[in-house]
C-alpha cells in the first residue's frame, strides 16, 4: 500500500506506535477495553492529514463505532468526529481523494473479487475496487455468484462458532471455484485469512491477494 | 387493572404522561397517485392477475358480461351475491344461478355446496391485479371465499391505479364496512417443499370481467 | 456458549438434506424479494423504507397514545380490547370467554404471537380443541413441532414426512402428491371452520384511527377463521399499532415483497369489528387482546427500542448467512434468525442464552433488507456488551474477560505488542510459507484449536511489516 501511495506522489508515514483499532474487543462486548485501545489509536494518529487503512472492517470501526464508544465524553467525541473525516479505506482513497483508477499495475491473472461485509454495507464500497482492478494490465476480473455473502470470519465469531464459520467459508469457496479464477482479491486481510485458510485446508491451488498487493504488482 | 398497569409501564418507559397527545412529528401521509390512462390500467391489471394464474376478460357492455359469465358457469352450480351491478348485467337472472340470499346460515350452506361464486367488486387495483371487496348488505364475505371458483364482474371505472389511489378515495374504510379484503389472485400455498399449489382454503380459480 | 445451542447448530450443519432445504427455500424467497424491489420495479423502495421506519418510530415513541386511540375506535363499534400481560392472562381470557359461550372448537390462523404464549397447549389442556388452519402450521401441530421459519413454518418437512404425518395422525391413506396432501388437509379443515365456535387470529397491523386490524395471508384460512365462527379474537403484540389506515399504502408495498417477493399476498384483510347491521356474514363479536409479554421491558432503551418496529416479514432470515446454515430450531424461543437474536434476549433476559447475540458475523445483510430499517447489527453489539456486563456481575467467563484485558493492555503498549509479535513468529512451527494445519501441543489453546478445526492458519511472515518498513528508511 505504501509503495502504491508513494508512487502517486504522497508522503507516507507509518507511526510505529500504532497497534489496533480495538474492534475485537468492541465486537465481543468489552467496551471499556475497546475504549482504551481506541484512545491509543486517536493519540497515535493525531496530526496526520489523512489516514489510509488497508481494511474495510477497521475503517468501519473507526468511522462508525468510535463515536459510540465515546458518546459520553464530549471532548473526545469532538476529536473522534474530526478523525472520521480524515480516515479513508485504501481503494476509496485512491478513487476519491487521489482521483486515480490506473496506478500502472500489471498482473497476468484471472481474479475474482470478494466484497467484505463492512466495506460493502457499512462503507458502501463496491465500484472503487472494481474500477481499480479493471485498469490492471493483464488482469481478468470475474464476478462470483452470489457476490454479496459473508465469508464467515466475523472476528471472534470464527473461533466461537468455528463449525458454522467453516461452513460459511466453504460456501464462499464454492462460489470462488465456480469462477475458475486462480486468485481471490479483497480489501480486508481478515477475510483473506479466512478464505485462504479454507482454500489451503481444501487443498486448492487458488491464492489470495490484498488489493494493495495487486496494485503494487509490476 | 392490567390495562392501566400496562399503559403506565409504557408511559414510564417513554417519559410520557397520561392524557398527553402525540407530538406533531407524525410523518405526513405519503400517497402518490400516478397518472395512468384507462387502457394502460387495464393492461397492467390483466398482466398482473394473469401472472398469478387468474384470468381476465373484457366486456364492452353489460350484456356481453352476462354472456361471458353464462359461458364460464356452463354446467356448474353457481351463486351470485346481491350486488346491484350483477342484476344490472342480468347475471342474477341467469338460469342455474342462486341469488338473493340474506340469511347468514343459508348463505354459508349454499356457498359451501356450489362450485362458482359470482360477485362484483368495489374497486380493482391495476398495479397488483387486485380486487377490493367491502362486506355490505350487497356483498357477503363468503361468496368470494368458499366456492372453488370466483368470478368478479367489475365496471371498468372502478379500476384504480393502486394502493395509493385506493387510500386516497377511501381513507377510512372502517367507516364503510367491518371487512375490506384485497384479493390478489387465487388462493395459494407453498408450505410443502415450496411447491406452489393453487386453491388451498379459498378459490383456486379467479376470473375478473372488466365491463365498459 | 451453551451446550444446547452448539448441539442444535451442529446437528443442523451435519444434516445435508436439511442444509439443502434451508438454503434453497430461503434462496428462493431472497431472490423473490430482490426482484420485487428492484429499482425498475419499485423505484421508491428506499423512500418507502424510510417512511415505514419513521412511522414505526413515531408510533413506538408514542405507544400509549396510539393504543388508546385504537381502543377507543374498537370500542365505539362494539368491539372489546383486552390488555394481557403474559401467556397465563391470555389463556385465562380465552378460556373464560369460551366457557361463557359454551365453545368447544376453536380454529386459528397463523400467528407467532400465539406461539409465544403456547396458546394451543393451554387451551387443549383445558379440554378445548384448537386447530391450526394454515397448512404448514397444521402439519406441525399434528406432529407437535414448532415453526421453523416466520413465513415458511414447515420448511424442514418433505412430502414424505407429510405423508407419514397424515397417515399416522389422520388415518389417511399414504399420499405423497403435494396437491392431494393439500386437498386432504383443506377438506379436514373446512369442516372445522364451518363448525367452530371461535376463530382466533393474529394481526400484522393494528390501525389506530380505524380500530381495525390487518391480516396478510395466501391460503384464505385467515379469512375463514375471521368470518365463519360467531366470535373473533385477535391476539397481537402491543407494538403492532400504526397511526392511520393510509399508512398501509406504505407498509403493504413493503411487507409481501420483503417476505416472498409477491407484490401483495393473495388476501389482505382489513377488519374493523363484528359485522355491521345489514352485513350478511361475519362474526357477531370482536375482541382484540393486546399482549405485553416483555415488550414493555424493551421500551425504555432508546437504542434497542427499534427492535419493536418489526413487521414479521422474515426477510432478515432469508438474507442471514447464519440462519441459512443453522436453521430455525437452533434458536431458543419462538423467533429465529436475526430478529430472534435480538428479540429473545430482550424478552427473556440476556443470560437466558448468552451465546445468541454472538452467533452472528455482523455482516449486516439483515439491516440491508429490513423494510422498517431496524439496525440489527447495532442492537446485537449492544446486547453483546450487556452479556459481558452480566457475566462480569455473575463472575462467569473470567478467562475470556482476562484475555481481553490483556489484549487492551498489549494494544496500548506498542513496544510490548511488537515484541509479542516477534515471539509468536519465532515460536510458530517452521515450514517456509506453508499454511499451518495443526498446532504443537503448547500452542493448542482453545481459539487456535477452534480455528484449525475448520481451516489452516497463515505462517508467520519472514519479516514483520515493521522490520520491512525500517529497512526501507
Amino acid at each position: 500500500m505504501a509503495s502504491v501511495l508513494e508512487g502517486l506522489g504522497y508522503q507516507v508515514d507509518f507511526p510505529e506506535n500504532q497497534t489496533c483499532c480495538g474492534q475485537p474487543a468492541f465486537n465481543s462486548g468489552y467496551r471499556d477495553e475497546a475504549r482504551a485501545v481506541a484512545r491509543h489509536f486517536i493519540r497515535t494518529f493525531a496530526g496526520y492529514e489523512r489516514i489510509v487503512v488497508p481494511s474495510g472492517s477497521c475503517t468501519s470501526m473507526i468511522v462508525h463505532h468510535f463515536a459510540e464508544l465515546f458518546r459520553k465524553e464530549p471532548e473526545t467525541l469532538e476529536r473522534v468526529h474530526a478523525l472520521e473525516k480524515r480516515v479513508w479505506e485504501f481503494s476509496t482513497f485512491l478513487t476519491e481523494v487521489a482521483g486515480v483508477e490506473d496506478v500502472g499495475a500489471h498482473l497476468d491473472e484471472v481474479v475474482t473479487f470478494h466484497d467484505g461485509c463492512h466495506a460493502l454495507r457499512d462503507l458502501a464500497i463496491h465500484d472503487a475496487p472494481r474500477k481499480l482492478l479493471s485498469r490492471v494490465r493483464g488482469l481478468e476480473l470475474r464476478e462470483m455468484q452470489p457476490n454479496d455473502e459473508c465469508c464467515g470470519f466475523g472476528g471472534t465469531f470464527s473461533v466461537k462458532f468455528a463449525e458454522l464459520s467453516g461452513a460459511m467459508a466453504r460456501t464462499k469457496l464454492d462460489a470462488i471455484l465456480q469462477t475458475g479464477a486462480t486468485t481471490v482479491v479483497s480489501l480486508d486481510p481478515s477475510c483473506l485469512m479466512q478464505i485462504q485458510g479454507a482454500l489451503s485446508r481444501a487443498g486448492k491451488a487458488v491464492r489470495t491477494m490484498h488489493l494493495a498487493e495487486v496494485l503494487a504488482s509490476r | 387493572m392490567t390495562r392501566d398497569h400496562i399503559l403506565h409501564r409504557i408511559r414510564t418507559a417513554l417519559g410520557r404522561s397520561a392524557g398527553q397527545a402525540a407530538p406533531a412529528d407524525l410523518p405526513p401521509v405519503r400517497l402518490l397517485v400516478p397518472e395512468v390512462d384507462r387502457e394502460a390500467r387495464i393492461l397492467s391489471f390483466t398482466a398482473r392477475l394473469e401472472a398469478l394464474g387468474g384470468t381476465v376478460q373484457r366486456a364492452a357492455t353489460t350484456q356481453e358480461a352476462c354472456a361471458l359469465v353464462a359461458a364460464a358457469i356452463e354446467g356448474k352450480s353457481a351463486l351470485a351475491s346481491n350486488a346491484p351491478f350483477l342484476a344490472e348485467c342480468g347475471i342474477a337472472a341467469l338460469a342455474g344461478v342462486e341469488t338473493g340470499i340474506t340469511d347468514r346460515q343459508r348463505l354459508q350452506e349454499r356457498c359451501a355446496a356450489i362450485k362458482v361464486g359470482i360477485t362484483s367488486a368495489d374497486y380493482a387495483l391495476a398495479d397488483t391485479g387486485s380486487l377490493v371487496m367491502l362486506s355490505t348488505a350487497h356483498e357477503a364475505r363468503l361468496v368470494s371465499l368458499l366456492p372453488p371458483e370466483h368470478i368478479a364482474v367489475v365496471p371498468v371505472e372502478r379500476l384504480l391505479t393502486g394502493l395509493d389511489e385506493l387510500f386516497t378515495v377511501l381513507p377510512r374504510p372502517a367507516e364503510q364496512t367491518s371487512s375490506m379484503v384485497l384479493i390478489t389472485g387465487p388462493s395459494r400455498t407453498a408450505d410443502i417443499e415450496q411447491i406452489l399449489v393453487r386453491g388451498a382454503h379459498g378459490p383456486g380459480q379467479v376470473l375478473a370481467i372488466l365491463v365498459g | 456458549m451453551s451446550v444446547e445451542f452448539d448441539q442444535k447448530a451442529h446437528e443442523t450443519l451435519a444434516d445435508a438434506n436439511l442444509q439443502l432445504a434451508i438454503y434453497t427455500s430461503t434462496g428462493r424467497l431472497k431472490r423473490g424479494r430482490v426482484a420485487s424491489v428492484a429499482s425498475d420495479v419499485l423505484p421508491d423502495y428506499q423512500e418507502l423504507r424510510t417512511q415505514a421506519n419513521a412511522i414505526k418510530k413515531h408510533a413506538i415513541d408514542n405507544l400509549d397514545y396510539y393504543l388508546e386511540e385504537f381502543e377507543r375506535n374498537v370500542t365505539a363499534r362494539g368491539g372489546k380490547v383486552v390488555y394481557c400481560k403474559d401467556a397465563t392472562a391470555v389463556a385465562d381470557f380465552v378460556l373464560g370467554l369460551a366457557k361463557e359461550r359454551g365453545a368447544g372448537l376453536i380454529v386459528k390462523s397463523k400467528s407467532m404471537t400465539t406461539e409465544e404464549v403456547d396458546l394451543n397447549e393451554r387451551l387443549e389442556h383445558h379440554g378445548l380443541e384448537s386447530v391450526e388452519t394454515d397448512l404448514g402450521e397444521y402439519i406441525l401441530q399434528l406432529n407437535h413441532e414448532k415453526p421453523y421459519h416466520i413465513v415458511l413454518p414447515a420448511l424442514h418437512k418433505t412430502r414424505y414426512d407429510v405423508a407419514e404425518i397424515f397417515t399416522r395422525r389422520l388415518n389417511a391413506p399414504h399420499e405423497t402428491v403435494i396437491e392431494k396432501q393439500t386437498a386432504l388437509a383443506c377438506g379436514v379443515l373446512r369442516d372445522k371452520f364451518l363448525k367452530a365456535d371461535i376463530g382466533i387470529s393474529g394481526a400484522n397491523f393494528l390501525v389506530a384511527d380505524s380500530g381495525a386490524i390487518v391480516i396478510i395471508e395466501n391460503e384464505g384460512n385467515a379469512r375463514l377463521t375471521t368470518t365463519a365462527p360467531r366470535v373473533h379474537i385477535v391476539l397481537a403484540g402491543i407494538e403492532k399499532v400504526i397511526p392511520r389506515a393510509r399508512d398501509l399504502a406504505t407498509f403493504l408495498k413493503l411487507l409481501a415483497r420483503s417476505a416472498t417477493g409477491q407484490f401483495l399476498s393473495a388476501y389482505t384483510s382489513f377488519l374493523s369489528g363484528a359485522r355491521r347491521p345489514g352485513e350478511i356474514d361475519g362474526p357477531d363479536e370482536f375482541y382484540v387482546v393486546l399482549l405485553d409479554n416483555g415488550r414493555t421491558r424493551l421500551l425504555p432503551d432508546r437504542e434497542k427500542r427499534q427492535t419493536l418496529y418489526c413487521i414479521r416479514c422474515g426477510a432478515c432470515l432469508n438474507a442471514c448467512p447464519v440462519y441459512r446454515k443453522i436453521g430455525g430450531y437452533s434458536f431458543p424461543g419462538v423467533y429465529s434468525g436475526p430478529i430472534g437474536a435480538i428479540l429473545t434476549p430482550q424478552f427473556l433476559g440476556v443470560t437466558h442464552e448468552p451465546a445468541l447475540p454472538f452467533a452472528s458475523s455482523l455482516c449486516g445483510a439483515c439491516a440491508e433488507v429490513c423494510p422498517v430499517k431496524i439496525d440489527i447489527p447495532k442492537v446485537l453489539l449492544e446486547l453483546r456488551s450487556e452479556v459481558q456486563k452480566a457475566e462480569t456481575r455473575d463472575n462467569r467467563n473470567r478467562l475470556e474477560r482476562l484475555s481481553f484485558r490483556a489484549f487492551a493492555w498489549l494494544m496500548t503498549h506498542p513496544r510490548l505488542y511488537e515484541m509479542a509479535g516477534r515471539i509468536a513468529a519465532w515460536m510458530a512451527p517452521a515450514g517456509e510459507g506453508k499454511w499451518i494445519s495443526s498446532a504443537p501441543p503448547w500452542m493448542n489453546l482453545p481459539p487456535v484449536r477452534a480455528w484449525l478445526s475448520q481451516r489452516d492458519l497463515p505462517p508467520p511472515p519472514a519479516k514483520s511489516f515493521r522490520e520491512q518498513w525500517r529497512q526501507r528508511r
Side-chain angles (χ1 to χ4, degrees):
Chain A
M1 181 170 85
S3 64
V4 172
L5 291 169
E6 280 169 351
L8 292 169
Y10 288 97
Q11 189 192 356
V12 180
D13 191 17
F14 173 82
E16 296 211 18
N17 271 351
Q18 67 179 275
T19 52
C20 179
C21 64
Q23 184 170 72
F26 181 73
N27 280 3
S28 296
Y30 294 94
R31 293 200 176 193
D32 291 335
E33 285 76 4
R35 228 181 321 266
V37 180
R39 244 186 271 280
H40 179 82
F41 183 97
I42 296 168
R43 253 193 323 264
T44 305
F45 285 95
Y48 285 97
E49 219 180 291
R50 308 239 203 248
I51 301 148
V52 186
V53 185
S55 158
S57 62
C58 301
T59 307
S60 174
M61 176 69 200
I62 300 160
V63 308
H64 287 135
H65 297 298
F66 272 20
E68 270 177 69
L69 281 174
F70 296 103
R71 78 178 164 227
K72 296 194 183 136
E73 291 181 37
E75 264 184 56
T76 319
L77 194 54
E78 251 186 75
R79 295 169 70 198
V80 165
H81 288 318
L83 179 69
E84 285 164 4
K85 298 186 177 66
R86 296 182 284 128
V87 170
W88 294 88
E89 178 279 324
F90 176 60
S91 71
T92 318
F93 181 84
L94 289 178
T95 55
E96 288 185 30
V97 180
V100 299
E101 289 175 19
D102 186 344
V103 299
H106 184 131
L107 184 69
D108 293 310
E109 278 285 336
V110 176
V111 146
T112 187
F113 185 77
H114 164 72
D115 296 274
C117 299
H118 292 281
L120 183 64
R121 300 199 177 91
D122 291 355
L123 302 170
I125 298 171
H126 179 271
D127 294 343
R130 285 169 171 81
K131 284 185 190 148
L132 292 160
L133 286 171
S134 73
R135 307 295 284 268
V136 177
R137 291 153 194 70
L139 185 146
E140 182 197 336
L141 174 63
R142 295 186 191 163
E143 292 284 350
M144 59 177 106
Q145 281 305 331
N147 63 359
D148 61 353
E149 285 186 12
C150 182
C151 68
F153 179 69
T156 51
F157 172 84
S158 61
V159 295
K160 284 187 181 174
F161 296 91
E163 198 185 353
L164 172 55
S165 171
M168 289 163 74
R170 285 184 288 278
T171 300
K172 176 60 64 172
L173 249 55
D174 287 341
I176 290 169
L177 296 170
Q178 286 259 353
T179 64
T182 45
T183 300
V184 184
V185 178
S186 183
L187 302 173
D188 263 281
S190 34
C191 299
L192 290 171
M193 183 169 69
Q194 165 87 341
I195 293 171
Q196 184 71 76
L199 284 165
S200 173
R201 180 60 59 90
K204 301 297 176 193
V206 178
R207 62 168 179 159
T208 57
M209 285 176 83
H210 190 277
L211 179 69
E213 290 179 86
V214 175
L215 296 180
S217 305
R218 292 283 177 273
Chain B
M1 254 205 87
T2 310
R3 174 189 185 277
D4 294 333
H5 182 68
I6 289 178
L7 286 171
H8 177 75
R9 280 177 67 91
I10 294 171
R11 285 182 197 121
T12 309
L14 299 172
R16 286 174 49 81
S17 40
Q20 185 185 348
D25 65 352
L26 172 59
V29 166
R30 186 184 185 278
L31 292 173
L32 303 169
V33 183
E35 292 274 332
V36 182
D37 70 53
R38 179 172 288 184
E39 278 311 309
R41 291 182 200 202
I42 294 171
L43 277 170
S44 173
F45 177 82
T46 305
R48 299 288 346 148
L49 183 48
E50 286 183 351
L52 294 169
T55 316
V56 181
Q57 292 173 341
R58 285 195 70 178
T61 63
T62 54
Q63 290 86 350
E64 255 187 66
C66 193
L68 288 172
V69 173
I73 66 172
E74 172 92 46
K76 301 175 191 169
S77 54
L79 188 152
S81 74
N82 306 332
F85 188 66
L86 295 181
E88 210 185 303
C89 293
I91 290 165
L94 279 174
V97 173
E98 293 177 50
T99 189
I101 302 177
T102 54
D103 174 69
R104 182 226 186 106
Q105 193 54 37
R106 176 132 186 87
L107 181 77
Q108 182 171 301
E109 279 163 22
R110 295 313 302 151
C111 284
I114 51 92
K115 194 121 204 297
V116 187
I118 309 168
T119 69
S120 181
D122 295 88
Y123 303 100
L125 303 181
D127 66 358
T128 49
S130 306
L131 300 163
V132 182
M133 300 199 53
L134 274 61
S135 170
T136 63
H138 303 305
E139 288 282 14
R141 304 184 192 192
L142 289 176
V143 184
S144 62
L145 182 54
L146 279 178
E149 291 180 39
H150 175 210
I151 301 177
V153 188
V154 190
V156 75
E157 307 80 71
R158 297 187 194 170
L159 178 55
L160 307 177
T161 48
L163 286 168
D164 289 53
E165 195 174 356
L166 176 64
F167 283 101
T168 302
V169 307
L170 193 60
R172 294 179 177 280
E175 284 172 8
Q176 318 288 336
T177 178
S178 72
S179 163
M180 176 176 79
V181 181
L182 310 184
I183 297 175
T184 311
S187 147
R188 48 185 279 157
T189 181
D191 271 351
I192 305 173
E193 290 190 25
Q194 286 239 287
I195 303 290
L196 178 66
V197 176
R198 293 213 177 91
H201 300 283
Q205 285 194 50
V206 174
L207 165 62
I209 301 174
L210 298 176
V211 187
Chain C
M1 305 305 125
S2 88
V3 174
E4 203 191 331
F5 184 87
D6 285 344
Q7 181 61 27
K8 284 202 199 142
H10 171 73
E11 275 166 19
T12 311
L13 286 167
D15 184 338
N17 290 331
L18 193 48
Q19 286 292 293
L20 192 60
I22 299 169
Y23 204 72
T24 46
S25 299
T26 51
R28 198 168 289 148
L29 294 178
K30 188 179 171 190
R31 281 192 300 279
R33 184 202 141 264
V34 169
S36 69
V37 303
S39 52
D40 54 339
V41 176
L42 189 66
D44 52 352
Y45 173 58
Q46 293 301 340
E47 280 122 59
L48 288 166
R49 288 179 77 215
T50 304
Q51 174 85 353
N53 172 274
I55 295 171
K56 275 289 181 178
K57 179 173 193 316
H58 176 91
I60 296 291
D61 287 349
N62 300 282
L63 188 58
D64 60 306
Y65 177 83
Y66 289 107
L67 285 175
E68 289 195 291
E69 188 189 355
F70 175 75
E71 188 186 358
R72 262 195 318 275
N73 284 318
V74 170
T75 315
R77 296 214 171 84
K80 190 151 190 275
V81 171
V82 179
Y83 289 77
C84 284
K85 71 175 166 87
D86 58 20
T88 307
V90 175
D92 284 347
F93 169 72
V94 176
L95 289 166
L97 185 60
K99 193 160 175 212
E100 263 180 63
R101 300 281 173 275
L105 175 60
I106 295 175
V107 285
K108 68 178 285 293
S109 59
K110 189 167 161 357
S111 161
M112 296 302 278
T113 313
T114 57
E115 297 287 333
E116 254 185 76
V117 298
D118 295 318
L119 189 59
N120 286 340
E121 284 81 354
R122 287 169 190 260
L123 297 179
E124 273 155 25
H125 184 69
H126 285 88
L128 291 169
E129 190 188 347
S130 177
V131 184
E132 290 290 344
T133 61
D134 171 274
L135 179 61
E137 297 276 2
Y138 179 59
I139 293 166
L140 296 181
Q141 183 179 39
L142 290 175
N143 215 33
H144 305 293
E145 285 182 76
K146 69 168 193 153
Y148 206 85
H149 180 288
I150 286 176
V151 168
L152 298 173
L155 177 159
H156 58 310
K157 293 272 171 249
T158 67
R159 71 194 73 181
Y160 307 104
D161 296 327
V162 175
E164 191 268 331
I165 292 168
F166 282 178
T167 304
R168 195 164 22 99
R169 305 280 186 201
L170 301 176
N171 280 325
H174 190 77
E175 178 56 74
T176 55
V177 174
I178 290 174
E179 272 99 347
K180 297 206 177 126
Q181 291 175 336
T182 306
L184 171 69
C186 289
V188 171
L189 292 169
R190 173 156 293 198
D191 189 59
K192 304 285 182 188
F193 284 122
L194 300 182
K195 293 200 175 107
D197 306 298
I198 297 178
I200 300 182
S201 76
N204 293 87
F205 302 100
L206 305 171
V207 186
D209 74 351
S210 311
I213 67 147
V214 177
I215 303 178
I216 286 154
E217 57 152 340
N218 279 302
E219 294 179 20
N221 62 306
R223 282 180 72 193
L224 271 171
T225 298
T226 58
T227 298
R230 302 279 168 153
V231 176
H232 175 201
I233 303 175
V234 182
L235 177 62
I238 50 177
E239 83 283 15
K240 295 289 180 69
V241 71
I242 59 172
R244 305 161 293 214
R246 286 165 295 164
D247 293 326
L248 290 168
T250 300
F251 287 103
L252 291 178
K253 282 199 209 120
L254 290 170
L255 182 37
R257 288 175 206 249
S258 301
T260 60
Q262 295 171 279
F263 285 14
L264 282 176
S265 63
Y267 305 117
T268 306
S269 297
F270 181 96
L271 304 174
S272 62
R275 62 183 173 134
R276 309 273 172 92
E279 289 177 18
I280 300 167
D281 52 14
D284 295 321
E285 296 175 62
F286 182 72
Y287 300 89
V288 183
V289 177
L290 298 177
L291 179 66
D292 180 353
N293 209 30
R295 287 153 175 79
T296 52
R297 207 176 304 132
L298 254 100
L299 274 178
D301 188 323
R302 281 173 194 271
E303 302 302 325
K304 304 208 290 291
R305 189 185 288 171
Q306 56 182 308
T307 310
L308 293 175
Y309 299 177
C310 178
I311 59 176
R312 306 284 192 267
C313 69
C316 58
L317 276 68
N318 303 328
C320 179
V322 169
Y323 178 89
R324 298 182 78 195
K325 290 267 176 277
I326 66 175
Y329 284 174
S330 301
F331 292 81
V334 166
Y335 302 101
S336 55
I339 188 64
I342 61 174
L343 256 180
T344 302
Q346 293 185 78
F347 277 166
L348 302 179
V350 292
T351 49
H352 181 258
E353 179 46 89
L356 202 44
F358 293 89
S360 162
S361 64
L362 297 177
C363 80
C366 51
E368 199 176 40
V369 304
C370 177
V372 289
K373 284 185 164 180
I374 302 171
D375 190 345
I376 297 178
K378 179 170 197 229
V379 180
L380 283 170
L381 283 165
E382 297 268 343
L383 288 169
R384 290 181 182 192
S385 176
E386 278 183 38
V387 170
Q388 300 311 356
K389 290 203 187 99
E391 308 251 90
T392 306
R393 217 175 36 234
D394 299 340
N395 207 19
R396 292 157 57 104
N397 214 9
R398 280 154 63 200
L399 188 56
E400 189 187 83
R401 198 158 48 251
L402 273 165
S403 310
F404 274 101
R405 287 232 184 99
F407 163 84
W409 185 77
L410 196 64
M411 295 307 170
T412 48
H413 292 84
R415 305 285 154 263
L416 294 165
Y417 168 76
E418 190 182 339
M419 193 155 33
R422 290 228 196 101
I423 294 172
W426 179 71
M427 280 166 70
E432 292 318 308
K434 229 174 82 73
W435 281 58
I436 300 163
S437 303
S438 60
W442 50 262
M443 207 176 115
N444 216 10
L445 302 161
V448 175
R449 211 168 41 236
W451 180 274
L452 288 172
S453 72
Q454 301 293 320
R455 67 240 106 171
D456 293 344
L457 268 174
K463 286 207 179 96
S464 77
F465 180 79
R466 278 158 216 273
E467 287 172 304
Q468 292 182 60
W469 180 262
R470 284 173 197 143
Q471 279 179 358
R472 279 164 123 242
R473 291 281 160 265

